[in-house]
Amino acid sequence: MENCIFCKIINQQQHGYIISQNESVTAFLDIHPVTEGHVLVVPNEHVEKLHNMNNPETVTALINTLIDTANLLVKSNICTDYSIIQSNGKYAEQDINHLHFHIIPRHQHDEVVFKLDTNTNAALEDNLMKVFNDLIKN
Ligand SMILES: [Zn+2]
């Protein structure tokens, strides 16, 4: 994709702090880090959302790079704990339309907040059963 900042970093048309790169996946520092050591892991191929991933080799490479990068953060004494965040689409607040996983180092009192409040209506037994039935019939 011509105007995709992540594609430009992957193809080295734009400077990026690339930590690792293979034929399928690139990991680089987020230049708007939530905490020190915040890394983005992306497929080299421009794919917008997770459900658009259809190359099993890239899927395997992605999960391997996530694990390798987490290990690197721990080995480098940047963190022992971390959150992995991945959002799809504007309502999920995906900012760059190129699939990416955030690995965010976490520390005691880091004041990073991910709010995952329970929707009490969705939690009602009838609603859980409706969604369950919708999902299992497909
Ligand atoms: Zn892209």
Side-chain angles (χ1 to χ4, degrees):
M1 287 283 284
E2 268 177 36
N3 291 316
C4 174
I5 183 76
F6 290 172
C7 283
K8 287 181 180 169
I9 291 170
I10 292 159
N11 298 320
Q12 291 169 30
Q13 296 163 323
Q14 167 110 15
H15 176 260
Y17 296 91
I18 293 176
I19 293 163
S20 69
Q21 186 166 47
N22 60 31
E23 62 281 355
S24 306
V25 176
T26 301
F28 52 93
L29 291 181
D30 192 320
I31 59 165
H32 302 290
V34 170
T35 63
E36 266 184 33
H38 180 167
V39 175
L40 298 174
V41 174
V42 306
N44 295 344
E45 176 190 1
H46 184 93
V47 172
E48 188 170 334
K49 296 179 183 177
L50 188 66
H51 71 274
N52 303 136
M53 290 290 301
N54 56 15
N55 181 335
E57 286 173 21
T58 306
V59 171
T60 300
L62 266 175
I63 190 70
N64 284 334
T65 300
L66 283 167
I67 294 167
D68 290 347
T69 305
N71 265 312
L72 185 63
L73 288 166
V74 172
K75 274 192 290 191
S76 304
N77 295 314
I78 290 173
C79 63
T80 56
D81 299 353
Y82 50 88
S83 297
I84 294 181
I85 307 286
Q86 198 276 317
S87 298
N88 301 277
K90 65 179 177 181
Y91 300 128
E93 300 173 56
Q94 181 178 11
D95 46 1
I96 305 291
N97 292 329
H98 184 132
L99 175 68
H100 55 286
F101 289 79
H102 296 263
I103 306 180
I104 301 171
R106 303 300 305 275
H107 304 282
Q108 190 175 24
H109 309 305
D110 65 15
E111 298 181 2
V112 174
V113 178
F114 303 110
K115 284 189 63 168
L116 294 174
D117 294 337
T118 300
N119 178 314
T120 52
N121 190 49
L124 294 173
E125 185 65 32
D126 284 353
N127 290 329
L128 289 171
M129 188 57 75
K130 182 192 176 303
V131 171
F132 178 74
N133 286 326
D134 287 346
L135 290 171
I136 62 170
K137 77 184 174 199
N138 285 308

